[in-house]
Amino acid sequence: GDSVTQMEGPVTLSEEAFLTINCTYTATGYPSLFWYVQYPGEGLQLLLKATKADDKGSNKGFEATYRKETTSFHLEKGSVQVSDSAVYFCALSRWTGNQFYFGTGTSLTVIP
Amino acid sequence: KAGVTQTPRYLIKTRGQQVTLSCSPISGHRSVSWYQQTPGQGLQFLFEYFSETQRNKGNFPGRFSGRQFSNSRSEMNVSTLELGDSALYLCASSFGRDRSNNSPLHFGNGTRLTVT
């Protein structure tokens, strides 16, 4: 079945460090891919998305490229800030319905 | 515009009781999905409603049920509560018009259910 695998956390980085959170997926057909972010005590917020192969989603300095050949959608940011501390979820949505599959989440802590 | 609103934010119930959670989607959104979030299992899909019809269902027992009203508001009910039902229940809405997979989910802040 469809699934998303994320790198395990937690991840701790110093401010201005480079961030990569790995995400790979398994799905039939051509899913859309998403990154969501969850801050403490809140629901998930859409960070970025990509709907077809080679698309690059970007927002707030974060980027991810839809790589069909490697079934990956890794999240990157060149210089993290303390305010980026949160839990990040990779997700996919298949064309057959509005059902999303989420990864287990990666907790990121950025220290000054 | 207003986001997804979930009420109540916190609930404490005892085993065997039942509970109803409410979700008001973003105006114009006709699809409402429910997810259970726990530290051990992560985000698990419960069900999705579109135009008052359940379109998708996850792998949860029949104690978990939901419905959607004509104004797209949705409720989720859990009967005969168990300790393992303690979780954050998240509601998400989207346009979901044509089963397109491009429409992202917009989440509420969740209802934290504690079963004692």
Side-chain angles (χ1 to χ4, degrees):
Chain A
D2 296 348
S3 66
V4 173
T5 302
Q6 278 181 246
M7 67 182 270
E8 299 258 341
V11 174
T12 303
L13 294 174
S14 297
E15 207 164 23
E16 299 184 3
F18 184 85
L19 168 71
T20 299
I21 300 178
N22 290 339
C23 171
T24 58
Y25 68 90
T26 301
T28 55
Y30 302 94
S32 288
L33 301 174
F34 304 82
W35 277 100
Y36 282 84
V37 58
Q38 185 177 33
Y39 298 100
E42 298 183 11
L44 280 68
Q45 301 175 25
L46 177 66
L47 183 58
L48 52 85
K49 72 173 187 178
T51 58
K52 60 183 187 296
D54 300 324
D55 265 3
K56 177 186 282 188
S58 61
N59 186 26
K60 300 180 182 179
F62 291 89
E63 292 183 341
T65 301
Y66 189 142
R67 301 285 188 201
K68 190 161 178 62
E69 63 276 13
T70 54
T71 62
S72 65
F73 193 55
H74 305 320
L75 182 68
E76 296 182 335
K77 186 175 185 182
S79 176
V80 294
Q81 306 300 313
V82 172
S83 57
D84 294 327
S85 297
V87 181
Y88 293 82
F89 293 88
C90 185
L92 71 83
S93 171
R94 289 182 59 213
W95 67 274
T96 53
N98 205 31
Q99 182 170 345
F100 281 63
Y101 298 85
F102 286 86
T104 53
T106 302
S107 174
L108 170 66
T109 300
V110 180
I111 54 178
Chain B
K1 57 184 177 182
V4 178
T5 304
Q6 291 188 246
T7 55
R9 285 298 309 271
Y10 302 94
L11 267 176
I12 300 176
K13 293 285 186 179
T14 56
R15 276 179 299 176
Q17 288 187 312
Q18 76 165 20
V19 67
T20 299
L21 313 181
S22 180
C23 172
S24 293
I26 290 173
S27 178
H29 285 188
R30 292 165 63 187
S31 171
V32 173
S33 302
W34 289 90
Y35 288 82
Q36 181 194 66
Q37 186 178 24
T38 59
Q41 300 294 321
L43 275 158
Q44 293 191 286
F45 173 75
L46 281 154
F47 28 65
E48 184 234 356
Y49 287 86
F50 180 81
S51 292
E52 302 178 67
T53 300
Q54 187 181 87
R55 269 201 313 199
N56 291 300
K57 189 177 189 306
N59 191 25
F60 276 80
R63 299 185 297 106
F64 292 82
S65 63
R67 59 178 175 168
Q68 186 180 34
F69 302 95
S70 58
N71 61 358
S72 293
R73 191 177 70 84
S74 177
E75 288 182 347
M76 188 192 105
N77 185 75
V78 188
S79 62
T80 320
L81 284 166
E82 301 177 359
L83 294 180
D85 297 333
S86 294
L88 179 67
Y89 289 88
L90 292 166
C91 167
S93 74
S94 69
F95 287 109
R97 269 190 295 265
D98 56 0
R99 289 181 177 261
S100 164
N101 64 350
N102 297 333
S103 178
L105 297 177
H106 298 266
F107 284 84
N109 286 334
T111 294
R112 173 75 62 184
L113 173 64
T114 302
V115 182
T116 62

